[in-house]
Amino acid sequence: VFGLAGLMSARGRTIAELGEFGFLSTLLQRLRGGAGVVVGPGQDCAVIRCGGRNYLYTVDALVEGVHFDPRWASPRRVGRKSFMVNASDVAAMGGRPRFCVVSIGVPPAYACRDLHALQRGIVQAARACGAAVVGGNLSRSERVFVSIALLAEAPRRLVTRRGARPGDQVYVTGSLGDAALALQQLCTKPAMEPSAALPRRLLEPSPRLRAGSFLVGSGIVSAMIDVSDGLLQDLGHICRESDVGATIRTASVPVSAAYRRVQGADRRLALSGGEDYELMCTVPVPQVQRLEAHRARLGCRITRIGEVTRSQGVRLVGPHGETVDPVTCGFDHFRSGSQ
Ligand SMILES: [Mg+2]
């Protein structure tokens, strides 16, 4: 129970001091499950039960100056990505996006042409994922923001961040680090050619809906999360929720050819950079063979990168079997929610 003493001490602090996850943990203690709440806050999506069916429900926002810079993110791409980041949370629980409502804020001087492009980006992304935009709201704001709430069909089987067990194998889809590398390049050279492969990974993420749906529906995975905040951070969420640890072989973490050309064997951005929107899952050993046999049904690569351990925390093992300190990989404990 969230006591008065906790409330008082939290009130005197700023959100920056408390941190995103610190704040959320105090908030979550006050949100109680109600009728129809199958899975409450703290997962990629909530699961709600309505009219005899389960639905996934999630919300996310993109804010100018925080999540994008208008110099390199066109209004259409901002709209598209605003939907896709929500769809990625749905993919993490194996759901099927259906309906969304949109809240947009723009300054009065914002061009109507750009607002149309923003809306087109949202509508096209929703359609591409089998969903419809069914309502919205436009408000005046100093900075552009887009907030989307997405409702999705839930799969019969529920997979959250909580099911990982010692011995389970850790897998990740696609490749990691391209988005973080693109961000690094765009921040130093904003005029970069926008059609280049790396920026596209940052500006036009493709949520792994097909893979998520298969991995959950087939019963192959024990826990899953989408990699939005970086592999180390998001694996930390699975470990905390499941009360386990994990060992990751850094050399096994999949990176693209474009990443390798720039970074060589350096996997730091792949380990700690965010915005990949890939899926990370844990697979019990008896299911590994089934996963290997059904790879083609995922629509993307999937790579085994380590395993779940009984001892807590994430341990990194380098290419020669040496232990690697996550902090040297850019892992920020102040962002990790481990306080
Ligand atoms: Mg997520």
Side-chain angles (χ1 to χ4, degrees):
V1 178
F2 190 72
L4 187 61
L7 194 66
M8 298 298 280
S9 66
R11 266 198 190 136
R13 299 163 74 183
T14 66
I15 186 68
E17 287 167 334
L18 204 55
E20 178 191 354
F21 296 111
F23 173 75
L24 288 178
S25 71
T26 63
L27 178 70
L28 296 192
Q29 291 171 50
R30 283 191 280 178
L31 292 177
R32 298 241 161 205
V37 180
V38 181
V39 176
Q43 303 297 321
D44 286 291
C45 303
V47 184
I48 51 174
R49 189 164 184 82
C50 252
R53 295 201 59 165
N54 284 348
Y55 298 90
L56 305 180
Y57 204 14
T58 187
V59 64
D60 213 340
L62 294 189
V63 180
E64 176 189 342
V66 180
H67 301 100
F68 67 91
D69 182 330
R71 282 175 304 171
W72 40 258
S74 69
R76 191 190 65 79
R77 278 176 146 170
V78 170
R80 184 186 186 283
K81 185 167 175 178
S82 304
F83 181 86
M84 292 307 191
V85 297
N86 281 283
S88 183
D89 280 327
V90 167
M93 294 182 72
R96 192 171 152 222
R98 290 302 307 274
F99 304 104
C100 71
V101 286
V102 179
S103 188
I104 296 176
V106 293
Y110 199 68
C112 286
R113 188 189 53 225
D114 287 344
L115 188 55
H116 281 303
L118 190 72
Q119 285 175 319
R120 243 190 339 268
I122 298 169
V123 170
Q124 286 170 353
R127 211 172 280 155
C129 294
V133 180
V134 293
N137 168 66
L138 179 63
S139 55
R140 179 191 177 126
S141 166
E142 273 175 42
R143 289 177 173 191
V144 176
F145 73 80
V146 185
S147 177
I148 296 182
L150 176 60
L151 190 69
E153 279 174 40
R156 268 197 208 104
R157 194 187 301 264
L158 291 181
V159 170
T160 65
R161 304 168 175 183
R162 285 183 194 143
R165 297 289 171 264
D168 288 0
Q169 302 296 297
V170 180
Y171 282 82
V172 68
T173 62
S175 65
L176 299 177
D178 283 358
L181 182 56
L183 185 63
Q184 206 174 65
Q185 292 181 340
L186 287 165
C187 287
T188 51
K189 210 171 100 187
M192 181 181 243
E193 174 53 45
S195 65
L198 283 171
R200 190 172 299 140
R201 284 294 306 272
L202 174 71
L203 302 171
E204 297 191 4
S206 298
R208 301 294 190 188
L209 287 162
R210 182 175 158 192
S213 174
F214 177 75
L215 290 168
V216 171
S218 62
I220 284 174
V221 297
S222 53
M224 192 147 71
I225 191 169
D226 69 317
V227 186
S228 54
D229 295 339
L231 182 150
L232 289 173
Q233 177 107 322
D234 290 318
L235 183 58
H237 292 313
I238 287 188
C239 289
R240 266 189 302 282
E241 291 276 333
S242 300
D243 209 18
V244 292
T247 298
I248 298 299
R249 294 177 299 275
T250 60
S252 301
V253 173
V255 294
S256 69
Y259 179 98
R260 212 172 298 115
R261 261 197 302 282
V262 182
Q263 297 294 93
D266 185 344
R267 292 285 201 279
R268 280 178 294 182
L269 284 175
L271 286 162
S272 61
E275 308 221 37
D276 297 304
Y277 299 104
E278 295 291 354
L279 296 178
M280 177 161 42
C281 57
T282 58
V283 178
V285 170
Q287 299 292 341
V288 165
Q289 218 173 354
R290 277 183 72 215
L291 175 60
E292 300 291 342
H294 292 295
R295 273 174 178 278
R297 297 178 63 177
L298 299 176
C300 61
R301 282 164 66 183
I302 192 160
T303 310
R304 194 187 326 204
I305 58 171
E307 70 175 41
V308 178
T309 59
R310 202 170 297 278
S311 62
Q312 310 268 313
V314 176
R315 185 170 159 259
L316 294 178
V317 178
H320 309 293
E322 74 279 18
T323 298
V324 180
D325 181 358
V327 174
T328 64
C329 292
F331 182 60
D332 180 357
H333 283 289
F334 294 106
R335 287 194 312 143
S336 73
S338 57
Q339 72 271 31

